[in-house]
Amino acid sequence: MIGLPKSTEFNRRIPKQKFYENLSISPTLKHIFVEQIKGIWWRNKIAATTINLAAGEMVTEIEIFEICLSAPQLSEAILRQIDREIPYHILFLLEYERRYQAWIAYKETVTTSTNTFRVDKYYHTDWMKETDLPLKLDGLNIDQVYENFVRQIAGKAFSDKSETLKESIARDSRKRELQKQIVTLQAKVYKEKQFNKQIQLNAELKRMKKELEELL
């Protein structure tokens, strides 16, 4: 898929039951697996053994999973469950009526010896034709290919390549946190009756907005 070399093709169907039958998951999550997903295919494996790229220091393989949906939405909790169960980095391609979304998480290695990962925020594209997905195999090693997939899917938010991927993730997380705090603080200013307190809140609001402007 997505124009990857034939040497990376795997095309193996994964029974969705594998992700919930022997695991301790909530009935709600199991229901989502059953109702929202038609099928899961392991389409490609990007690794030093399948393509002419050097192995990465942090990313050893990137798996391409196609998830065919019954409706044009899927709970993010499902992707997290799959990401936790598979000790490799995953690019998800969600399919509904021949339209696609690409999803990827910033998945950071916590312990190399045990293949333990921390799954951070997910980024995704809009729905579009497979050929229009902004995905290009770019990099000299698997680390770089993974980083570029994240940047391609995140779009303009990660366009500054002078930052490391981790720095871009941290900046984006702080930006989103500030945006939420500003909305909450603006509501407090509106409700506050004491003039002195309003001055204090407005000063803090001004500081937050300035920090947000610097991050944009």
Side-chain angles (χ1 to χ4, degrees):
M1 296 193 73
I2 59 173
L4 292 174
K6 192 171 183 62
S7 60
T8 68
E9 290 181 3
F10 207 66
N11 291 328
R12 178 181 297 175
R13 183 163 187 167
I14 304 175
K16 56 187 179 181
Q17 295 92 330
K18 283 184 174 291
F19 295 107
Y20 61 78
E21 280 188 344
N22 300 314
L23 302 174
S24 178
I25 66 173
S26 69
T28 300
L29 196 58
K30 181 177 179 179
H31 179 77
I32 293 172
F33 264 107
V34 173
E35 296 297 322
Q36 294 187 5
I37 296 177
K38 288 183 178 179
I40 303 173
W41 280 264
W42 183 355
R43 291 300 189 191
N44 302 80
K45 178 168 76 171
I46 301 173
T49 56
T50 65
I51 194 170
N52 187 27
L53 288 172
E57 293 183 7
M58 303 301 295
V59 184
T60 58
E61 292 184 12
I62 304 171
E63 319 303 343
I64 314 297
F65 280 12
E66 180 183 5
I67 302 179
C68 297
L69 304 179
S70 303
Q73 66 274 325
L74 179 67
S75 171
E76 187 178 296
I78 291 291
L79 302 184
R80 289 189 177 276
Q81 181 67 39
I82 296 173
D83 252 326
R84 282 195 293 262
E85 295 305 314
I86 295 176
Y88 298 108
H89 293 73
I90 305 172
L91 168 60
F92 294 99
L93 299 178
L94 307 189
E95 184 274 338
Y96 177 71
E97 295 186 347
R98 298 185 181 180
R99 306 283 285 184
Y100 287 84
Q101 277 188 336
W103 284 69
I104 198 167
Y106 178 59
K107 193 171 180 180
E108 187 177 22
T109 305
V110 177
T111 307
T112 306
S113 60
T114 58
N115 280 332
T116 304
F117 293 93
R118 178 172 60 250
V119 181
D120 207 317
K121 176 179 171 51
Y122 280 88
Y123 296 91
H124 66 87
T125 66
D126 294 328
W127 286 102
M128 60 188 72
K129 293 188 296 184
E130 181 194 339
T131 53
D132 291 337
L133 288 170
L135 297 171
K136 180 182 178 183
L137 192 66
D138 186 16
L140 299 177
N141 58 51
I142 308 300
D143 283 346
Q144 292 176 5
V145 169
Y146 167 71
E147 175 175 332
N148 285 320
F149 276 156
V150 176
R151 291 187 183 279
Q152 290 161 12
I153 292 171
K156 292 181 180 179
F158 289 1
S159 59
D160 185 0
K161 289 196 174 184
S162 65
E163 297 179 322
T164 65
L165 180 58
K166 192 170 184 176
E167 288 170 342
S168 294
I169 294 287
R171 179 171 59 82
D172 186 59
S173 296
R174 179 57 180 162
K175 181 184 71 176
R176 292 172 186 275
E177 181 184 0
L178 280 169
Q179 288 170 332
K180 290 179 182 179
Q181 290 175 345
I182 286 170
V183 171
T184 301
L185 195 54
Q186 284 174 329
K188 286 184 178 180
V189 171
Y190 180 77
K191 293 178 181 179
E192 183 57 54
K193 302 301 181 183
Q194 295 184 25
F195 181 68
N196 289 341
K197 186 66 173 176
Q198 277 187 343
I199 292 176
Q200 293 175 358
L201 292 175
N202 273 314
E204 178 63 10
L205 188 60
K206 184 178 180 180
R207 184 196 67 77
M208 286 184 177
K209 286 183 176 179
K210 182 179 179 181
E211 184 182 350
L212 180 59
E213 287 177 3
E214 292 172 351
L215 293 173
L216 293 175

